[in-house]
Structure formats: C-alpha cells, structure tokens
Amino acid sequence: MSSSYVCDLAPAHIRAIAPYQPGKPIAELARELGLAELSIVKLASNENPLGPSPRGLGAAQEALQDAARYPDGSGHELKTALVRQFGVRAEQIVLGSGSNDVLDLAARAFLAPGRSAVYAQHAFAVYALATQAMGAVGIEAPARNYGHDLAAMRAAVREDTRIVFIANPNNPTGTLLSNADLEAFLREMPASVLVVLDEAYTEYLAEESRSRAVEWLARFPNLIVTRTFSKAYGLAGLRVGYALAHAAVADLMNRVRLPFNVTSPALAAAAAALGDTDFLARSYALNAAGRRQLTDGFGQLGLEYLPSYGNFVAVKVGDGMTVFHRLLRKGVIVRPVNNYGMPEYLRVSVGLANENQRFLEALAEALRP
Ligand SMILES: *Cc1c(COP(=O)(O)O)cnc(C)c1O
C-alpha cells in the first residue's frame, strides 16, 4: 500500500486545506544561523513583548503542583472571573485552548457540508481553515481599503450561510470597524446566521473605540464574541481563549468541546491575569508607544503602512518575501503575508523599544538595493 493511497482516504475537503503558516520560532532561526537565541528579535506572532502577566504566571506555577490531576472541565474559577468582569452568566461562556479553539468550536457546532461561512478578504486565516475542516463552503467577501467591507459581507450571505466571521481589529491588516457599523450589521443579519466577532486585540483599543459587543449579547442571540489571553495578557503559550454568546449557543459549542480542552495551569493563569489591571495598562501603553515608533520609522523610510489598531503593523516593502528573507539573515523574524493576498507587505509585531529599533535598522538595510 503506497502512502499516497492512505492520504487519499481523507475526504477531499480535508486534502484541500492549505496548512496554517505560523511565525518562525526563535530556536529554529538560531539553529539555522548558528546564532545565540538571545541575539534574535522575533516580531512575528503578535506576542506580548513584556512576557506573561506576573499574576498569571504565579497562578500557573502554583497550578503545576496539581498537574497529576485533570483540570476542572467546567472551568469554574475562570468562568466566575469572567462573569464578574463582563456581567454575563456562566452558561454564556465557552472556554477554549486559545480562541482559535473557540472559533473552531463555532464552526463544528454550526457548519457542515452543504453550508457556508462568510469572511473578508485579508481576514485572519483560521476562519477559512475551520470552515474547510467542516466540509463547508468558505465565501470570501472583497475587502475595502484592506478592511472588512460590511456591505459586501452582507451581500455575500446566502441561504445556506450559517456563520459570518469578523475580526475586529483584523489581523494582519490592523483595521477596525466602528461600533455603530457593527451594530447596524447585526441588526440586518438574518437570525439564521451566527456572527462570530473575533476580538483578539480588543484590549489594545483606546477608550473612545472600546468594543460594545458584550452589551449586544442580550439583544442578538446570534452573536458570538471571542477573546483571548494570548495577546495583551501575554499567555499565548498557555493557550486560553473564550467565547461569550447566548446560553443556547454556548451550550451547543460546549457539546462539541472535548473534555479538559484547557489545561489547569492555563485556567489558573487566565483567571489571575484577568484581574492584572496593572499589567494590562503597561501592555497597552507600551504597545501604543511602540506602534508610534514603528510608524514614525516607516515614515522616515518613505514606506506606506496600514494604520493599525492592534499590536502589529502591516508595512508595504515591495517584494515581501525577499525582504522577509533578508531580515531573517539579520536575525529579525517578521511575518510575510503573501498567503493573505498581500505579497507587497510584511506584518511586524510591536516589540520593546530596542527590538523595534533593531527591526527598523535591519529593514533600512534590507531595502537598500
Ligand atoms: C492571535 C489571534 C487570535 C488568538 O489566537 P489564540 O488561539 O487565542 O492564541 C484570534 N484571532 C485573531 C484575529 C488573532 O490574530
């Protein structure tokens, strides 16, 4: 029996999936270049340059003592913290191994062959992945100025559409939709379509653009809001995210959730990090300053960039792949976004001031003919 025969056993919709391209790990580049890991700057995965929330880290370390036991499968402690923070009921919460897991749970609960999901051009890659894995049809609505075009998304919705995925802010473009536009979109969406509002970067928004999505849950039973501890809370490696939704929707998503999908250190860390307001404020301030440092630098280099509401910026560099490889040789890892239909751009995460500086200097050299 040949190995190609075994591969043919997977359904066609699985074989058609293009693998997710993660940021290059520091250890891998260090091995390739024969460099010390410490000399490498990674600004490729929108991670928190401050490291993990100290309160989260402490709680995770303590939880490790109990590693022989299964985690609390209901996530009671974390749900209690979320209930306190958001004024929702525990029945409205779905916990996931990162919010990617929660996005996938939404797809598993509501998509199937013969159904479709709508998402925007240049939107986060996981929406297409989760849709395809269910054998459902993915419909990509054209973007406008690299941002979600809600009118185009509304027009793309078909009879068989069950999910519309929206990233706000979006990764990799950093674009933001206003509360007013989103609320109008929800009002006109048929009740048969779930709107998954992915707010992975919401903690980085300034006061005046803060999301009001949680307030809308009471009015729109077809709304699913997803958030994560991977970005502003600095817990990407522990993998915790959550969805807030109508209790009946959360119930369906929880039925397809595997038992113990979130580890005990992750649950404990997330519950503690949620109250780490000092850390959140520091992350916010560092990000705002670092984003300005990057965009000022791009201005000085005469480069166009997409104004960003996240902890990253997409910058137009010409041939993105070539510049990406030149930066790698200088020990700087960023993210090429040709797989997002943006071959002229690179996405760079906001780092510490010295990391941003290293990147800008390396970029200036990489762009020299
Ligand atoms: C980083 C990111 C996530 C979060 O992923 P986790 O699985 O929570 O680590 C979700 N959505 C978008 C758009 C992201 O960029």
Side-chain angles (χ1 to χ4, degrees):
M1 188 172 68
S2 74
S3 63
S4 75
Y5 172 78
V6 207
C7 294
D8 287 345
L9 297 177
H13 66 262
I14 299 295
R15 281 181 278 140
I17 294 174
Y20 181 79
Q21 297 173 10
K24 195 178 182 69
I26 290 177
E28 187 179 303
L29 184 65
R31 267 195 315 273
E32 287 170 8
L33 296 180
L35 287 175
E37 291 190 15
L38 272 177
S39 68
I40 289 172
V41 171
K42 183 187 176 203
L43 301 173
S45 299
N46 301 345
E47 294 151 342
N48 193 325
L50 288 175
S53 142
R55 283 171 66 172
L57 180 63
Q61 280 166 336
E62 204 171 308
L64 277 174
Q65 301 298 324
D66 257 341
R69 302 217 179 267
Y70 279 100
D72 171 6
S74 72
H76 178 77
E77 186 198 0
L78 175 54
K79 281 186 183 167
T80 303
L82 291 166
V83 162
R84 220 179 300 123
Q85 172 109 345
F86 294 113
V88 295
R89 289 179 296 126
E91 297 73 35
Q92 293 181 266
I93 303 171
V94 183
L95 302 180
S97 173
S99 58
N100 280 331
D101 187 25
V102 170
L103 296 168
D104 191 54
L105 293 177
R108 281 167 58 193
F110 295 102
L111 296 181
R115 299 182 176 197
S116 66
V118 171
Y119 39 81
Q121 183 188 10
H122 314 304
F124 188 45
V126 166
Y127 312 144
L129 269 178
T131 301
Q132 287 173 334
M134 294 309 301
V137 172
I139 302 171
E140 188 178 280
R144 193 171 34 150
N145 292 332
Y146 289 96
H148 288 41
D149 179 344
L150 288 177
M153 295 186 79
R154 174 68 189 86
V157 168
R158 313 191 304 209
E159 197 76 18
D160 66 2
T161 301
R162 289 293 169 271
I163 295 184
V164 173
F165 289 103
I166 294 176
N168 206 44
N170 182 45
N171 168 20
T173 59
T175 49
L176 182 76
L177 295 160
S178 73
N179 281 308
D181 288 351
L182 272 174
E183 195 178 2
F185 180 80
L186 281 165
R187 249 186 273 119
E188 63 184 23
M189 194 49 54
S192 57
V193 180
L194 288 134
V195 176
V196 175
L197 191 55
D198 175 352
E199 299 191 328
Y201 300 97
T202 203
E203 294 85 2
Y204 289 116
L205 293 178
E207 196 62 47
E208 67 272 14
S209 41
R210 278 283 142 79
S211 166
R212 291 213 304 268
V214 176
E215 298 166 33
W216 300 336
L217 287 169
R219 258 186 302 144
F220 300 110
N222 58 337
L223 173 63
I224 300 174
V225 181
T226 69
R227 296 196 176 170
T228 183
F229 288 92
S230 296
K231 306 284 159 58
Y233 294 98
L235 300 175
L238 283 179
R239 316 298 305 126
V240 208
Y242 57 97
L244 307 176
H246 188 279
V249 170
D251 174 47
L252 284 164
M253 291 169 67
N254 274 315
R255 290 190 216 181
V256 289
R257 187 176 60 85
L258 295 176
F260 315 119
N261 63 329
V262 189
T263 69
S264 39
L267 287 169
L274 198 63
D276 202 344
T277 47
D278 274 4
F279 181 75
L280 211 57
R282 278 200 291 135
S283 299
Y284 174 88
L286 183 83
N287 186 60
R291 204 167 49 194
R292 220 170 311 116
Q293 182 187 4
L294 288 175
T295 54
D296 286 352
F298 297 149
Q300 278 161 22
L301 291 169
L303 298 174
E304 282 177 39
Y305 59 87
L306 305 180
S308 171
Y309 290 85
N311 64 345
F312 54 89
V313 186
V315 57
K316 197 170 183 182
V317 295
D319 181 11
M321 256 321 179
T322 302
V323 178
F324 166 69
H325 284 293
R326 286 184 186 162
L327 288 171
L328 279 187
R329 285 197 292 273
K330 297 174 192 300
V332 176
I333 313 175
V334 297
R335 188 75 77 95
V337 281
N338 48 343
N339 55 328
Y340 282 93
M342 298 167 64
E344 297 186 318
Y345 282 83
L346 288 175
R347 189 196 72 191
V348 58
S349 307
V350 175
L352 300 172
N354 64 311
E355 296 175 319
N356 300 332
Q357 190 55 36
R358 262 277 309 275
F359 158 72
L360 285 168
E361 285 164 9
L363 180 64
E365 289 170 23
L367 290 172
R368 249 172 242 144

